[in-house]
Amino acid sequence: MPKNPWARNPWFETVHEAQRRAKKRLPKSVYSSLVAGTQAGITVNDNTAAFNELGFAPHVVGTQPDRELSTTVMGQEISFPVMISPTGVQAVDPDGEVAVARAAAARGTAMGLSSFASHPVEEVAAANDKFFFQIYWLGSREEILARAERAKAAGAKGLIVTTDWVFNVGRDWGSPEIPEKVDFAALLKLAPEIAVKPRYALDWVKGGTINIPDLTAPNLTPPGEPGPTFFGAYGQWMNTPPPTWEDLKWLREQWDGPFMVKGITRLDDAKRAVDIGASAISVSNHGGNNLDGTPATIRVLGPIADAVGHDIEVLLDGGIRRGSDVTKALALGARAVMIGRAYLWGLAANGQAGVENVLDLLRMGLDSSLMGLGRKSIHELFRDDLVIPEDFERSFGHV
C-alpha cells in the first residue's frame, strides 16, 4: 500500500520543530514545565540568545573532507561531544529515562541520570552502560552515600553533583500545576487539558489498561522499596541544609571514580572544584532555573575554561539548540556540552526516535560548522574561529 502523502513525517529538521511538536502533543501543564525558568526568565532567555551574538570566521578554501568528532568525558568515549544532562521525572513519554538511555546508546554517547528520575537506575543501566548518576544534596550523608553506592552497583561510571538550584519557583508567566500524585482526583482535575491532547493520553494506554504516569522518585530509596512522591522528595530536599565545600570534599573522598560538580559560573567556585579533586565541572545555571539574572553560561565559559581548563574537564550546560552552538562552546574551551530541554522535546515529539533525531541534528550541525571553519577535528577549535563582541564575556569571582 502506498504511503499516505498527508501523513506527518516523523523526522523533524530542527530542535525548534521538536519543540513545536512537543507543545502540540503535551498537556499545557506538562509542556509548561519543560520551558519554564525562574522569575522574569532573564537567564533562561539569555542562555539561548547569547549564542546568536557569537559569529564564525570561516575558511572557504582547504576545508577538510573528513572530520573527527569523538572525544572522552570523565573517562568515557563518546562519538561526539554532546551528552544527556540529568533531568527529573520525565512524564512526557511512558518509557522516560529508559527511552533516553537507549537513544544515547544508539548514538554512542553518555547520559546523566537524575536522582529524581522516574525509572530505577538498574533499568536505565541495562539500556546504556555509559551513564553518570546525578546527586542532589538530599537527606543525611549516609543516605546520600547509599544512593551513590546503589548507582555504582548498577554500573554508574561517575557522579554528577548538582549545586545550581534555588527553591524560588515563582514565574512571572505562571507556574505549571503539577499534582502530588497522578490518581483519579488529579486525572479528573487535569481532564480538560488531557482531553484536547488525545495522542498523549493514548500513549499511556498499553494492553487495554491505562498506565498512569509515575511521579515518584525510585532512586531515592533502596532497590525494591517504593520511592517518595516527587513533591515528597522535593520537600525533603528543601529541608536539607545545602552542601558546603567540605561536604562536597567528603563525598569526593568516598567516591573513587570520576566526579563532576554541576552549577559553576564563578572563577573562584571553579577553582574550589579543582581543589577538592573533582574530575570535571559543568558550567551551568540549571537551564535558567537557578537565580534569575545569572548570565548565560556561554558568556562565562571562556574565562572559566582559561582559568582551570588545564586542571579539570570543563563542560557547558544551557541553551544548546543547534550543532553550531556546540561548536561555539568547544571553541571557547568546553570539552563537551550537556543538553536538557532539547532532548526532552524530542522525547515528547517522538519517543526514543525523537531523542535520536535531536542528537543527529546536533551532530550534523557540528560537523557542518567544523567543515566551514576548515577544521579536521573538534580538538582544533579555538577562539580564533569565532567573532566575539568586545563586551560578550562575563567574569566574576576572581582567583
Side-chain angles (χ1 to χ4, degrees), residues 153-281:
K157 300 302 190 293
L159 280 188
I160 300 173
V161 182
T162 294
T163 62
D164 53 337
W165 181 266
V166 295
F167 298 119
N168 187 339
V169 295
R171 296 161 181 140
D172 288 7
W173 56 94
S175 299
E177 183 175 350
I178 302 174
E180 168 70 16
K181 61 180 179 178
V182 184
D183 53 15
F184 180 77
L187 288 174
L188 189 64
K189 188 173 184 179
L190 294 172
E193 287 189 29
I194 298 174
V196 295
K197 304 292 184 181
R199 183 186 163 208
Y200 177 79
L202 287 173
D203 284 345
W204 293 90
V205 178
K206 293 183 179 180
T209 60
I210 299 176
N211 295 271
I212 296 175
D214 187 2
L215 297 185
T216 63
N219 294 309
L220 295 179
T221 52
E225 293 187 14
T229 64
F230 177 80
F231 281 100
Y234 191 84
Q236 185 182 0
W237 181 25
M238 289 175 58
N239 288 292
T240 300
T244 64
W245 280 108
E246 287 71 27
D247 288 323
L248 297 187
K249 182 180 179 182
W250 167 82
L251 183 58
R252 178 64 184 111
E253 291 170 347
Q254 307 308 307
W255 179 268
D256 60 1
F259 187 97
M260 177 190 294
V261 178
K262 180 178 179 291
I264 301 296
T265 57
R266 297 173 57 100
L267 294 172
D268 47 0
D269 283 345
K271 183 62 169 58
R272 290 297 296 271
V274 173
D275 291 343
I276 68 167
S279 312
I281 58 173

Side-chain angles (χ1 to χ4, degrees), residues 76-366:
Q76 296 302 300
E77 295 183 1
I78 56 177
S79 64
F80 73 124
V82 176
M83 59 174 280
I84 300 296
S85 188
T87 60
V89 179
Q90 295 175 5
V92 301
D93 181 87
D95 290 331
E97 296 84 3
V98 175
V100 174
R102 291 175 183 145
R107 295 301 180 263
T109 194
M111 74 174 290
L113 177 67
S114 175
S115 55
F116 279 9
S118 56
H119 286 263
V121 61
E122 293 81 9
E123 291 183 14
V124 176
N128 188 345
D129 63 354
K130 290 184 180 180
F131 81 97
F132 307 110
F133 187 69
Q134 178 260 359
I135 289 282
Y136 282 115
W137 202 261
L138 183 157
S140 66
R141 281 187 172 188
E142 291 73 19
E143 290 169 322
I144 292 168
L145 186 57
R147 290 194 289 273
E149 290 175 343
R150 175 184 173 183
K152 179 180 287 187
K157 300 302 190 293
L159 280 188
I160 300 173
V161 182
T162 294
T163 62
D164 53 337
W165 181 266
V166 295
F167 298 119
N168 187 339
V169 295
R171 296 161 181 140
D172 288 7
W173 56 94
S175 299
E177 183 175 350
I178 302 174
E180 168 70 16
K181 61 180 179 178
V182 184
D183 53 15
F184 180 77
L187 288 174
L188 189 64
K189 188 173 184 179
L190 294 172
E193 287 189 29
I194 298 174
V196 295
K197 304 292 184 181
R199 183 186 163 208
Y200 177 79
L202 287 173
D203 284 345
W204 293 90
V205 178
K206 293 183 179 180
T209 60
I210 299 176
N211 295 271
I212 296 175
D214 187 2
L215 297 185
T216 63
N219 294 309
L220 295 179
T221 52
E225 293 187 14
T229 64
F230 177 80
F231 281 100
Y234 191 84
Q236 185 182 0
W237 181 25
M238 289 175 58
N239 288 292
T240 300
T244 64
W245 280 108
E246 287 71 27
D247 288 323
L248 297 187
K249 182 180 179 182
W250 167 82
L251 183 58
R252 178 64 184 111
E253 291 170 347
Q254 307 308 307
W255 179 268
D256 60 1
F259 187 97
M260 177 190 294
V261 178
K262 180 178 179 291
I264 301 296
T265 57
R266 297 173 57 100
L267 294 172
D268 47 0
D269 283 345
K271 183 62 169 58
R272 290 297 296 271
V274 173
D275 291 343
I276 68 167
S279 312
I281 58 173
S282 175
V283 177
S284 172
N285 52 43
H286 215 94
N289 279 293
N290 191 22
L291 182 62
D292 198 27
T294 304
T297 51
I298 192 66
R299 297 190 189 279
V300 300
L301 170 65
I304 290 174
D306 290 344
V308 301
H310 294 293
D311 303 314
I312 198 170
E313 294 181 15
V314 178
L315 284 80
L316 176 128
D317 187 323
I320 299 293
R321 302 291 183 270
R322 301 170 182 84
S324 58
D325 296 339
V326 180
T327 308
K328 292 170 182 178
L330 299 182
L332 287 174
R335 188 181 191 89
V337 304
M338 298 199 292
I339 60 170
R341 288 183 177 90
Y343 80 80
L344 290 174
W345 291 329
L347 182 66
N350 197 24
Q352 176 184 337
V355 180
E356 292 174 7
N357 194 155
V358 166
L359 292 171
D360 288 342
L361 290 172
L362 296 178
R363 184 185 184 98
M364 290 187 295
L366 169 62

